[in-house]
């Protein structure tokens, strides 16, 4: 197995309230978690401060989005500086719901990646093809182009985790097979090797997202280039603990 530290992100999306998230936090705080796994929970913006104050420090917290400048007249947006002010160290950028529900472009996502990294946030950068793109046989082209725009905005890859999330697998119950996930992860690592460096290709965590559950996580985690997960629905349930411990 490679030496990359296994990384499991929870993406709570626009779910929960103080009561239910408080219960989830209690479950996580008292669970036996593999300390070889880095765990980060993506909380709704309004609960970032609350979650950071309640969640055990061995678990990181992520914002689910942020803007590309430090401050100003951008109603409804938040900056990396504000995220850090709440004690939060990570942000999820380029999630498929940001791309396809809110129309974020590759260019905007790239600008956000640059600004967040410059301001000391770790970035979980998401990429992934739509069903029609997979069926048209252009998965590689799509994910390479998305990765290229991200890579153009990264100076130091130490704070970047790349999340491959096929859009057709997100929230659908249609998980990529371990072979499908491994194939794209291997291609992405090859792209990094050819276009960035051997050191980055060897060290960057490439995590899989899309209908990961307690039932399918072990087989996915056993793939050589799957370095963890970004988990939506199942991250709100106690089975998230099983996913965190998938490599145990
Ligand atoms: P899912 O979501 O696990 O509910 O498919 C994954 C994600 O959107 O990150």
């Amino acid at each position: 197995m490679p030496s990359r530290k296994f990384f499991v992100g929870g993406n709570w999306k626009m779910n929960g309230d103080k009561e239910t998230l408080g219960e989830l936090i209690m479950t996580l705080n008292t669970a036996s978690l593999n300390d070889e796994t880095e765990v980060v929970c993506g909380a709704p913006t309004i609960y970032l401060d609350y979650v950071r104050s309640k969640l055990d420090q061995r678990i990181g917290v992520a914002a689910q989005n942020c803007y590309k400048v430090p401050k100003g007249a951008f109603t409804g947006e938040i900056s990396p500086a504000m995220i850090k002010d709440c004690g939060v160290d990570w942000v999820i950028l380029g999630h498929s719901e940001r791309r396809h529900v809110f129309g974020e472009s590759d260019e905007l996502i790239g600008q956000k990646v640059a600004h967040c990294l410059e301001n000391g946030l770790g970035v979980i950068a998401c990429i992934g093809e739509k069903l029609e793109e997979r069926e048209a046989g252009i998965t590689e082209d799509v994910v390479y182009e998305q990765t290229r725009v991200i890579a153009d905005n990264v100076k130091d890859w130490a704070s970047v985790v790349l999340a491959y999330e096929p859009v057709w697998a997100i929230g659908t119950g249609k998980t990529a097979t371990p072979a499908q996930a491994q194939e794209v992860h291997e291609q992405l690592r090859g792209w990094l090797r050819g276009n960035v460096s051997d050191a980055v290709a060897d060290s960057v965590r490439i995590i899989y997202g899309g209908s990961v559950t307690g039932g399918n996580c072990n087989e996915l985690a056993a793939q050589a280039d799957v370095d963890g997960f970004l988990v939506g629905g199942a991250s709100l349930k106690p089975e998230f603990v099983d996913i965190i411990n998938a490599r145990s």
Side-chain angles (χ1 to χ4, degrees):
M1 279 293 161
S3 59
R4 296 178 293 270
K5 187 166 191 176
F6 204 67
F7 184 104
V8 176
N11 180 5
W12 296 346
K13 308 192 181 184
M14 195 176 74
N15 290 300
D17 51 26
K18 283 191 182 174
E19 189 183 338
T20 56
L21 295 179
E23 285 164 15
L24 180 60
I25 289 165
M26 279 296 275
T27 302
L28 294 172
N29 285 353
T30 53
S32 166
L33 306 180
N34 183 344
D35 54 17
E36 299 297 311
T37 299
E38 185 168 1
V39 185
V40 173
C41 291
T45 305
I46 195 152
Y47 296 131
L48 283 172
D49 207 12
Y50 172 76
V51 171
R52 183 60 289 170
S53 70
K54 299 269 178 198
L55 199 58
D56 192 287
Q57 287 296 330
R58 70 193 164 142
I59 301 173
V61 178
Q64 298 174 8
N65 183 32
C66 77
Y67 201 48
K68 61 176 180 175
V69 294
K71 62 177 182 167
F74 300 102
T75 302
E77 295 293 323
I78 58 168
S79 69
M82 293 169 177
I83 294 170
K84 288 186 66 184
D85 195 34
C86 291
V88 169
D89 296 323
W90 287 91
V91 63
I92 300 169
L93 292 176
H95 188 276
S96 88
E97 286 141 24
R98 298 304 318 170
R99 292 176 186 269
H100 303 304
V101 181
F102 298 100
E104 290 192 10
S105 64
D106 271 345
E107 187 192 10
L108 175 61
I109 293 160
Q111 291 166 340
K112 290 180 176 193
V113 167
H115 182 64
C116 287
L117 291 173
E118 277 160 18
N119 286 277
L121 276 185
V123 171
I124 302 167
C126 306
I127 59 170
E129 82 287 1
K130 293 191 262 189
L131 183 60
E132 60 264 33
E133 293 165 336
R134 174 162 282 261
E135 287 176 347
I138 58 168
T139 297
E140 263 183 274
D141 302 335
V142 171
V143 297
Y144 288 168
E145 176 57 17
Q146 292 170 336
T147 305
R148 186 190 62 73
V149 178
I150 291 164
D152 284 350
N153 287 284
V154 175
K155 292 195 188 95
D156 178 3
W157 285 83
S159 304
V160 180
V161 171
L162 195 59
Y164 168 60
E165 299 201 294
V167 179
W168 48 270
I170 295 178
T172 60
K174 278 196 210 158
T175 321
T177 64
Q180 283 174 322
Q182 169 58 24
E183 181 183 30
V184 178
H185 284 226
E186 197 176 347
Q187 289 165 343
L188 287 168
R189 206 174 300 288
W191 188 93
L192 291 171
R193 198 171 300 287
N195 293 277
V196 184
S197 70
D198 281 335
V200 167
D202 289 336
S203 61
V204 166
R205 272 91 53 94
I206 305 177
I207 63 175
Y208 168 79
S211 299
V212 176
T213 66
N216 60 32
C217 62
N218 296 85
E219 225 190 322
L220 284 160
Q223 305 302 306
D225 290 291
V226 175
D227 304 315
F229 301 116
L230 186 56
V231 185
S235 71
L236 292 158
K237 303 177 190 163
E239 75 184 279
F240 188 51
V241 172
D242 301 327
I243 300 173
I244 291 169
N245 292 333
R247 277 258 179 101
S248 298

